[in-house]
Amino acid sequence: MDVDLGDNSASTRQDAAAEENFTIDEDPPVVVEEEPVVGVVEEPVTAVEFGDDVGASLPSAEEIRSTIVAPPNSNTFELAGLTLKKWQWYAMAGGLALVMIIGLSVGLSGGSSSSSPSIDDASASAATPLGYAGVGDVERYRGVVEFLGDFISSKSQLETRGTPQNLAANWMAGLDKDQFTIPYDSMTTDGNYYFIQRYVMVVFYYALGGQNWQYSSRFLTSAQTCDWNRGFDLDNEEEYRFGVHCENREEISYLFMPGNGLRGSIPTELGYLTKLTHISLFGNEIKGTIPDSMQELTNLDFLAMESNMISGEIPDWIGNLHRLKIWALGDNYLTGKL
């Protein structure tokens, strides 16, 4: 095995502009302004004593009439020893009627509100799945998250808004024009592998800042995943595909994106591309550690990730990749040795 820990460089000739990117924008936060509470100042109410039972319930009409003594041709009434002028009586009677009407209205409204059904937060959250961005069919999103959560990614990452896994799941469910059939039972069949490798490359795009890449290489377009690349010729007239390349146009075998402005951490999902033989990601701004999931890439024969900001220890399992002939990890922040 040839070991290269020094600086590797690649001279590429770029001949294409970035293709259109599909991104999922998070819904802007909704700001709900509370209505101001307007205070009501009530006029003071003067208590009127009805006999000896102060604070008792309101008298009936018969009780009021029995206590009124009105002398002939008089403008005054005597109510339980209290002499009132006629207009004062009318005012008081009208006030009592108003109080009774208001009390009845409040009682009816209170009763109806207590019996009417309400939608609580639990019901609302059950209707909308966690992490759903509101794009496309919600049931398809449920299916995508269910399958990926069972076999590929963490369920919490899928349901947390803004993570690479969540953005990728929403893209696969609502924005991908291919609309692959969602696997439900197993991840071993060819059809399932095509769905998985497309999802993995969408996660790769979001995890490494694909929106700001120098060349998008047709990522997140309606093209087949094997066509997410741009072709160019080297000086020796050998053609390279900048992006991904597939053997027999089916399974990704090459991932070639040196010096393209990749910023972020390598997602663990990359370990599911078990047909990969060549990875060239040198000259970027990749940080974090080398994920242990990459030990599943047993077909890998070329690994170049030098001149990045990768940290941590050099994984021991790299020595177990028996087909690996060339690997270059220099000019990083890695420690340890093989």
Side-chain angles (χ1 to χ4, degrees), residues 33 38 113 177 182 240 274:
E33 296 183 359
V38 180
S113 61
K177 293 183 179 179
I182 303 171
Y240 271 78
T274 55

mmCIF file of all heavy atoms in Angstrom, residues 33 38 113 177 182 240 274:
data_model
loop_
_atom_site.group_PDB
_atom_site.id
_atom_site.type_symbol
_atom_site.label_atom_id
_atom_site.label_comp_id
_atom_site.label_asym_id
_atom_site.label_seq_id
_atom_site.Cartn_x
_atom_site.Cartn_y
_atom_site.Cartn_z
ATOM 1 N N GLU A 33 -48.992 38.790 17.194
ATOM 2 C CA GLU A 33 -49.053 39.926 18.088
ATOM 3 C C GLU A 33 -50.287 39.812 18.964
ATOM 4 O O GLU A 33 -51.403 39.590 18.487
ATOM 5 C CB GLU A 33 -49.104 41.218 17.282
ATOM 6 C CG GLU A 33 -47.845 41.457 16.458
ATOM 7 C CD GLU A 33 -47.903 42.787 15.731
ATOM 8 O OE1 GLU A 33 -48.916 43.485 15.868
ATOM 9 O OE2 GLU A 33 -46.941 43.122 15.047
ATOM 10 N N VAL A 38 -57.808 45.936 26.922
ATOM 11 C CA VAL A 38 -58.382 47.238 27.226
ATOM 12 C C VAL A 38 -59.168 47.132 28.517
ATOM 13 O O VAL A 38 -60.106 46.332 28.612
ATOM 14 C CB VAL A 38 -59.294 47.724 26.091
ATOM 15 C CG1 VAL A 38 -59.879 49.078 26.431
ATOM 16 C CG2 VAL A 38 -58.510 47.779 24.787
ATOM 17 N N SER A 113 -69.278 27.739 26.120
ATOM 18 C CA SER A 113 -67.844 27.625 25.867
ATOM 19 C C SER A 113 -67.262 26.396 26.535
ATOM 20 O O SER A 113 -66.348 25.772 26.023
ATOM 21 C CB SER A 113 -67.107 28.877 26.372
ATOM 22 O OG SER A 113 -67.287 29.014 27.784
ATOM 23 N N LYS A 177 -38.157 15.387 -8.617
ATOM 24 C CA LYS A 177 -39.091 15.081 -9.701
ATOM 25 C C LYS A 177 -39.091 13.602 -10.061
ATOM 26 O O LYS A 177 -40.035 13.116 -10.688
ATOM 27 C CB LYS A 177 -38.748 15.925 -10.923
ATOM 28 C CG LYS A 177 -38.987 17.414 -10.716
ATOM 29 C CD LYS A 177 -38.703 18.215 -11.978
ATOM 30 C CE LYS A 177 -38.980 19.696 -11.749
ATOM 31 N NZ LYS A 177 -38.697 20.506 -12.957
ATOM 32 N N ILE A 182 -40.837 4.562 -2.555
ATOM 33 C CA ILE A 182 -40.254 4.496 -1.211
ATOM 34 C C ILE A 182 -40.144 3.041 -0.780
ATOM 35 O O ILE A 182 -41.145 2.319 -0.758
ATOM 36 C CB ILE A 182 -41.106 5.273 -0.197
ATOM 37 C CG1 ILE A 182 -41.274 6.728 -0.645
ATOM 38 C CG2 ILE A 182 -40.474 5.222 1.189
ATOM 39 C CD1 ILE A 182 -42.276 7.499 0.180
ATOM 40 N N TYR A 240 -12.518 13.175 -16.915
ATOM 41 C CA TYR A 240 -12.951 12.984 -15.541
ATOM 42 C C TYR A 240 -14.360 13.553 -15.390
ATOM 43 O O TYR A 240 -14.769 14.455 -16.125
ATOM 44 C CB TYR A 240 -12.009 13.681 -14.558
ATOM 45 C CG TYR A 240 -10.852 12.814 -14.105
ATOM 46 C CD1 TYR A 240 -9.753 12.620 -14.936
ATOM 47 C CD2 TYR A 240 -10.869 12.198 -12.867
ATOM 48 C CE1 TYR A 240 -8.685 11.831 -14.533
ATOM 49 C CE2 TYR A 240 -9.802 11.406 -12.447
ATOM 50 C CZ TYR A 240 -8.720 11.226 -13.284
ATOM 51 O OH TYR A 240 -7.672 10.430 -12.887
ATOM 52 N N THR A 274 -21.666 1.561 -0.757
ATOM 53 C CA THR A 274 -20.703 0.460 -0.660
ATOM 54 C C THR A 274 -20.034 0.128 -1.997
ATOM 55 O O THR A 274 -19.085 -0.668 -2.015
ATOM 56 C CB THR A 274 -21.406 -0.793 -0.122
ATOM 57 O OG1 THR A 274 -22.537 -1.098 -0.948
ATOM 58 C CG2 THR A 274 -21.884 -0.542 1.313
#
